[in-house]
Amino acid sequence: MSLQNPAQDVRVATGRAAEALADEVRTLGLHRLLLVAGSRRLVDDLTAGLPVAACFHDVVMHVPVGVVERAVALARRRSVDGIVCIGGGSATGLAKAVAVRTGLPVVAVPTTYAGSEATPVWGVTDDSGKHTASDPRALPRGVVYDATLTLTLPAARGVASGLNALAHCVDSLWAPRATAATTERALEGAALLARTLPRVAADGATPDLAADADLAAREDLLRATHLAGAVFADAGSGLHHKICHVLGGLLDLPHAETHAAVLPHVVALNAPAVPELDARLAAALAGSPTSRSALDELEALYARLRPTRALRDLGMPADAVPAVVDAVLASGLTGNPVPLAAAPLAALLRGAWGDPA
């Protein structure tokens, strides 16, 4: 699968992230870097010899505005000319928000399957919730994928992160700017994710490279992640992402796990209303034509992966459903296969919360 993107230099460099990162920094002509990384575990090895002028480690989920302002102030104080971010979606999201404020180019080194590095979509949270937008300045100029950097990702986090990527593909099927081309790419990404996620999940977290890790599957999963993020950026944000952004912004629920918990409920609502897409998504998830529905195939995948399924287990209070429904309806989403109304949204959220009724 190609990772070509005319706006990005994307490098797949398994076992060679430090070398590829240094080459990308040289290619972009950067001389004073702001390093954004929540974990310091990988930083020294990956950035040795790079012209790092400042480090920012206060990476916070959902990118609070105050954190962005501190990072921007540090970048300006140290006169940096570029940003390197190492980590998951929170680190990438912070770097993108700083890039929008400053115009600085970003080089991303992902260590999860968040996919944020493949999109110009950026977002911040404040007291009123999460706010997202698309801006070409937010799209990283360079991306370095190294499958070995995912080896210590805890298995449960890796599963949730991969299902977050799958949600990018699924939501793209009925997103506002969906086209025949984005649909083909979304189904391609969904098929690759469904095929590789169970292989990677079987590894668990493997801190020793001598262990029997399936690096080929991890490379495929990173490629699928990039495809999922890119098609999501083209097709736009559908119902699934509107719901999850509200849940994250209002309730501070964990990002990837929330996406994993909500996805089957959105598929249950939307897929039956678009039978052709339902059948094509089911075939993509199954890896071959199937008589079962997309929801059936998704449930089979979840049975293998065993992610956290209930929003109540992620910290959502049951009495938050009405506020979440109101915020989703206020988002102005149009074109969903099922017309949006309070009753079906509330039923969807109660199901995702863990109410069997």
Side-chain angles (χ1 to χ4, degrees):
M1 176 190 298
S2 172
L3 295 184
Q4 293 177 1
N5 183 332
Q8 284 186 318
D9 184 15
V10 182
R11 304 172 187 234
V12 178
T14 299
R16 300 181 292 105
E19 174 187 342
L21 176 58
D23 189 51
E24 186 64 31
V25 168
R26 285 192 297 270
T27 298
L28 292 175
L30 304 179
H31 302 287
R32 292 183 60 82
L33 298 173
L34 171 66
L35 173 64
V36 173
S39 170
R40 304 183 187 216
R41 177 178 56 85
L42 299 170
V43 168
D44 290 343
D45 289 342
L46 291 180
T47 62
L50 292 184
V52 176
C55 297
F56 192 91
H57 295 293
D58 186 17
V59 174
V60 181
M61 186 173 60
H62 302 306
V63 195
V65 168
V67 174
V68 177
E69 291 172 347
R70 292 199 300 274
V72 168
L74 176 61
R76 289 172 173 162
R77 190 163 62 247
R78 298 295 179 85
S79 300
V80 305
D81 60 3
I83 306 168
V84 167
C85 58
I86 301 171
S90 296
T92 306
L94 174 57
K96 291 165 72 171
V98 174
V100 170
R101 296 278 191 96
T102 63
L104 295 169
V106 176
V107 180
V109 185
T111 60
T112 71
Y113 311 112
S116 178
E117 69 281 355
T119 86
V121 178
W122 66 287
V124 296
T125 54
D126 58 22
D127 291 341
S128 64
K130 187 166 186 175
H131 310 279
T132 62
S134 182
D135 191 306
R137 293 172 296 181
L139 182 70
R141 293 279 299 280
V143 180
V144 174
Y145 287 121
D146 181 346
T148 66
L149 301 182
T150 69
L151 288 172
T152 54
L153 183 66
R157 286 190 59 203
V159 164
S161 184
L163 291 173
N164 180 20
L166 180 59
H168 287 145
C169 294
V170 174
D171 215 24
S172 296
L173 298 177
W174 37 64
R177 299 189 300 274
T179 65
T182 62
T183 295
E184 290 294 337
R185 291 160 57 209
L187 292 169
E188 179 186 1
L192 187 55
L193 285 160
R195 187 166 70 247
T196 55
L197 254 176
R199 289 169 59 191
V200 172
D203 282 344
T206 311
D208 184 355
L209 292 185
D212 188 21
D214 192 340
L215 287 179
R218 290 171 185 263
E219 284 187 352
D220 283 344
L221 192 50
L222 288 169
R223 290 184 172 93
T225 294
H226 190 276
L227 174 58
V231 73
F232 168 71
D234 288 344
S237 179
L239 176 61
H240 174 90
H241 281 79
K242 295 297 185 185
I243 292 172
C244 291
H245 286 170
V246 170
L247 291 169
L250 286 183
L251 304 176
D252 199 33
L253 301 190
H255 182 83
E257 290 81 359
T258 297
H259 280 268
V262 169
L263 181 59
H265 301 276
V266 174
V267 171
L269 177 69
N270 276 351
V274 278
E276 181 185 357
L277 285 178
D278 189 1
R280 296 181 70 190
L281 177 58
L285 295 174
S288 62
T290 174
S291 61
R292 301 204 300 177
S293 69
L295 181 60
D296 289 337
E297 296 297 346
L298 185 63
E299 289 290 355
L301 178 63
Y302 272 53
R304 298 178 67 185
L305 298 175
R306 302 176 64 183
T308 299
R309 296 292 303 265
L311 292 174
R312 64 184 176 190
D313 295 332
L314 300 177
M316 177 182 173
D319 60 5
V321 168
V324 174
V325 168
D326 288 345
V328 173
L329 290 175
S331 70
L333 178 66
T334 60
N336 194 64
V338 176
L340 298 187
L345 278 176
L348 184 157
L349 285 161
R350 286 194 298 269
W353 183 82
D355 185 347

